[in-house]
Amino acid sequence: MLPSLAKQWRNAAVIGLRGQSLVPCASTRTFASAKSTEEETFDVEITTPFEGHKLDELPSQTVTTTKTEVLDFFRDLFRYRRMEIAADVLYKGKFIRGFCHLYDGQEAICVGMESAINYEDAIITSYRDHCTYLGRGGNMYEVIAELLGRKDGCSRGLGGSMHMYHRENNFYGGNGIVGAQVPLGVGIAFQQKYNKKDNCTFTMYGDGAANQGQGFEALNMAALWDLPVVYVCENNHFGMGTAEWRGSKQPAFYKRGDYVPGIKVDGMDVFAVKKAVAFAKEYAIKNGPLIMEMDTYRYHGHSMSDPGSTYRTRDEVSGIRNQRDPIERVRKLIQNMELATTAEIKAIEKAARKEVDDAIAKAKECPEPPEEWLTKNIYSAAPHGWESVRGVERGLAHET
Amino acid sequence: MLRRGNGVVGRGMVERMVSSMLCGGNATTTTCSRGFSAEVGEQQRARKINLFTAINDALNLSLEEDEKTLIFGEDVSFGGVFRCTSGLLEKHGSDRVFNTPLCEQGILGFAVGAAAMGYKPVVEIQFADYIFPAFDQIVNEAAKYRYRSGGMFSCGGLTIRTPCGAVGHGGHYHSQSPEAFFMHSPGLKVVMPSGPKDAKGLLLSSIRDDNPVVFFEPKIMYRTSVEEVPYGDFTVPLGKAAVVREGKDITLVGWGSQVGVLRQAAEEVEKNDGISCEVIDLRTILPWDVDTIAESVTKTGRLLVSHEAPLTAGVGAEIVSTISKECFLNLEAPPLRVCGADTPFPLVLEPFYLPRQSRVIAEIRNSLAF
């Protein structure tokens, strides 16, 4: 599928090489490569203009990057995509049960965000969280093991698809109820401001969740107290099966904050995301809340029980794939600028496939969590004084 | 939708519904000569359908019989996640069957207001686990509207449908059975059917009832549970439990999909131990049918209540407490509860949480050996 997509590429981003720029690389990542050409900076133009709401200034349309960063983008985008497609196969093979929401199509948001922030910044998101977990420094084995409900999973196999967390790297999940995570992000941001940290919180939700009242309640508090929180609305245009215009009177989600400024970003362009998120972080720490709308698209249905074809046409989905796919966009840049040979790109893809395959093979070998974990972590060390949890299967009254 | 009632003699109750089925949906015609009984299932023509089709049938009938019936919720106009509302938009139009945004509190508040204006909103909350954002509107607004206005206003037309219960792999937020939270709210009625026939009959009663009703649908049964369901108008009264299996040694009480677990357990212990179990399907959780259960326990002398929700402060606690008082001198053994564990609903550890048949059987034996 992918090579033909590359051929069909029509509306490629106008990616201009502006020669050697003096602008320092904005990436916060450090790279192991020693070769100077790997780290030489150059500029990339963002084709879709940012749109602002109550912002005096918008970020420029030019992003500075390096060869290493571009190849890292490609690698991560491709890894995330392969993992989600593998999850689809595992689900259909009944290895993953229950509820599973895939991120394919939206990968540029996670990848672009992480290139502009660090792990001291916090992220909290909804149930579409597999790739966010990887972006926060988690490994693929832990994701697959969690999906399979195995004890090496990132939540010990106790959470499943919707509940992935990474405490050390400030990833607060992984939340199952639509919109419920949004106010939590504001509370996390309070801690950052209170402790005078040079960091902010990204509280992520979809266009469907944008209509939940609690997000607005917390936004008012964030604005009252100038908390460093960025509301990131991943607008994939469908709240479950309902198109944004059917469910939202104001589908320009970056304007939804009214008194809170907003910015609209092409969420299928990893460079646009990187640029805008860097801007947002700086803005939020200095001024308080900001709403970002990431214009994106999910290729799969809402969850695995939704074929994703009843409320939109297959042509629409394939049209987005052909014209806006985040991976193909980066692939095109690599080819145009000759940042890597076809063989090198293939090697990256092969390594990603192997990573996914290895993770799956290992996860299938991993045991499920032991029975007695049923009653762990309900309370801290039994503050109620009960010695066991009531109602568990006879003979299995567990110590808490 | 044209149905023919060949040679069936009924009592002609609720002509308009039956006639609408017989005469191609014209709800006002009275020319049909043959009506079906609304209360005697055996006399009414029936067809084998599953639970979601039975729900769909009841919703369709309600939309036909009363133009004030409204259906809304997340994705309902496409049929909903479980297909319960399939085809209703096409039949009844987008003024009466419509999608809402994803905002449970707003949906319920809107529904309470519409019900106060005389409409009959049948609201779908996509999963019972998502009902909590709307909890305030249900418990503080809907349940108390009549009481706090001194009877001036109510939202009696309101019915809240929501799928509940374990499905084997639903995890924390697609498996819960929160009926006890609502049983604790005077002003509400709480209902849970245990099969397609009751689902249709109880849902129609709930929609027609002049009080707000929370109607839980055991989602594992939507497709798997199939039985004969009468055509046309058919109601099952609220507040009335059903003795689904007669016995003399112990009374087993459950509701929703747990009734099936109890029936199987009853078969097993009859075969292996010669224990005769009476199984009661509670059907309505609030107000619940004390008399039927008390009568049964007076006969058997033993009681076991079973539900998927956690043990502590579950519906079983209320039943056991009341029956202990009502039947104190008839009891041969302490009343028992076999329930979900006092843990959040687990993911892969679900089998160790659920009140499975083996646990029910073990407790039946304990009770008999007391």
Side-chain angles (χ1 to χ4, degrees), chain A residues 149 151 155-159 368-379 384 388-400, chain B residues 171-172 175 308-311 339-356 359:
Chain A
K151 75 182 186 54
S155 303
R156 312 280 177 272
L158 299 171
E368 290 189 349
E371 286 166 35
E372 60 267 24
W373 286 11
L374 173 63
T375 56
K376 278 199 183 302
N377 298 309
I378 302 171
Y379 297 100
H384 43 70
S388 62
V389 170
R390 306 172 78 204
V392 294
E393 192 151 350
R394 200 171 178 80
L396 289 174
H398 298 136
E399 300 291 316
T400 48
Chain B
H172 315 306
S175 308
E308 276 186 17
L311 174 73
C339 304
D342 280 358
T343 72
F345 201 100
L347 182 66
V348 291
L349 299 175
E350 183 179 308
F352 305 106
Y353 167 95
L354 285 178
R356 292 181 297 175
R359 289 174 61 194

Side-chain angles (χ1 to χ4, degrees), chain A residues 349-360:
Chain A
E349 293 176 351
K350 197 177 164 192
R353 287 198 183 91
K354 183 170 185 320
E355 184 186 4
V356 174
D357 292 345
D358 290 351
I360 293 170

Side-chain angles (χ1 to χ4, degrees), chain B residues 257-299:
Chain B
S257 56
Q258 196 64 15
V259 174
V261 176
L262 295 179
R263 291 174 90 146
Q264 284 171 4
E267 300 293 332
E268 281 291 306
V269 294
E270 173 136 79
K271 197 169 65 188
N272 298 327
D273 306 66
I275 300 170
S276 161
C277 300
E278 182 141 304
V279 180
I280 295 180
D281 174 3
L282 193 62
R283 301 203 284 202
T284 303
I285 292 159
L286 183 70
W288 63 282
D289 185 355
V290 180
D291 292 347
T292 298
I293 297 174
E295 199 178 301
S296 171
V297 176
T298 301
K299 179 176 72 176

Side-chain angles (χ1 to χ4, degrees), chain A residues 41-355:
Chain A
T41 61
F42 54 88
D43 287 354
V44 171
E45 285 293 308
I46 298 162
T47 48
T48 310
F50 296 118
E51 290 174 52
H53 169 69
K54 295 203 170 162
L55 279 174
D56 297 332
E57 216 177 333
L58 285 171
S60 83
Q61 298 290 126
T62 307
V63 195
T64 305
T65 188
T66 63
K67 174 182 165 182
T68 308
E69 187 179 59
V70 174
L71 291 179
D72 274 2
F73 282 166
F74 181 79
R75 179 178 298 111
D76 283 344
L77 290 167
F78 194 85
R79 287 171 65 225
Y80 295 4
R81 177 73 53 89
R82 290 309 309 175
M83 184 181 75
E84 293 297 69
I85 288 171
D88 177 82
V89 174
L90 286 168
Y91 194 94
K92 285 169 181 156
K94 293 201 187 322
F95 288 99
I96 300 172
R97 305 299 307 276
F99 293 82
C100 181
H101 309 79
L102 300 181
Y103 201 67
D104 51 327
Q106 303 182 208
E107 300 95 337
I109 299 171
C110 274
V111 174
M113 276 181 76
E114 293 291 353
S115 72
I117 61 176
N118 60 52
Y119 293 147
E120 290 298 305
D121 297 305
I123 295 181
I124 185 165
T125 189
S126 69
Y127 37 78
R128 207 177 298 283
D129 61 347
H130 311 163
C131 296
T132 321
Y133 178 79
L134 288 187
R136 288 272 93 183
N139 72 51
M140 208 174 273
Y141 170 58
E142 293 165 337
V143 174
I144 303 283
E146 191 61 38
L147 292 175
L148 268 53
R150 308 300 168 98
K151 75 182 186 54
D152 286 354
C154 42
S155 303
R156 312 280 177 272
L158 299 171
S161 165
M162 303 195 288
H163 306 285
M164 300 185 175
Y165 305 82
H166 200 307
R167 187 171 176 88
E168 301 87 75
N169 293 349
N170 286 297
F171 178 41
Y172 296 89
N175 293 268
I177 300 295
V178 169
Q181 76 281 5
V182 179
L184 271 63
V186 178
I188 295 165
F190 169 76
Q191 166 269 140
Q192 290 165 327
K193 185 172 174 92
Y194 191 87
N195 291 317
K196 300 189 170 59
K197 288 185 181 169
D198 204 17
N199 297 101
C200 69
T201 299
F202 293 84
T203 192
M204 303 176 73
Y205 56 101
D207 48 303
N211 296 315
Q212 285 273 351
Q214 47 194 331
F216 292 93
E217 296 177 28
L219 187 64
N220 180 48
M221 300 197 294
L224 273 177
W225 305 324
D226 298 331
L227 301 180
V229 62
V230 180
Y231 273 46
V232 182
C233 178
E234 293 183 87
N235 181 6
N236 60 27
H237 304 281
F238 295 94
M240 297 192 292
T242 301
E244 57 177 348
W245 59 271
R246 290 179 190 270
S248 297
K249 184 66 183 173
Q250 168 56 290
F253 295 95
Y254 67 108
K255 296 180 179 172
R256 277 287 191 93
D258 181 18
Y259 47 86
V260 173
I263 180 171
K264 184 176 180 181
V265 183
D266 180 358
M268 306 291 269
D269 179 350
V270 66
F271 296 100
V273 173
K274 174 189 160 184
K275 182 80 179 183
V277 167
F279 166 84
K281 176 178 173 179
E282 195 185 333
Y283 181 93
I285 293 170
K286 202 169 146 199
N287 303 300
L290 177 76
I291 297 184
M292 299 186 86
E293 178 183 347
M294 302 288 195
D295 179 2
T296 185
Y297 202 85
R298 64 167 151 75
Y299 293 153
H300 267 90
H302 166 73
S303 70
M304 294 307 299
S305 52
D306 166 23
S309 54
T310 51
Y311 46 84
R312 58 185 187 183
T313 62
R314 291 191 192 283
D315 285 351
E316 179 182 313
V317 182
S318 60
I320 300 276
R321 275 185 190 275
N322 291 343
Q323 290 173 16
R324 295 182 60 203
D325 186 81
I327 300 178
E328 295 312 306
R329 199 183 282 227
V330 176
R331 186 197 302 275
K332 194 78 186 167
L333 173 71
I334 293 170
Q335 287 168 345
N336 283 354
M337 294 186 60
E338 297 176 354
L339 297 175
T341 63
T342 308
E344 285 166 335
I345 293 175
K346 284 223 180 315
I348 291 173
E349 293 176 351
K350 197 177 164 192
R353 287 198 183 91
K354 183 170 185 320
E355 184 186 4

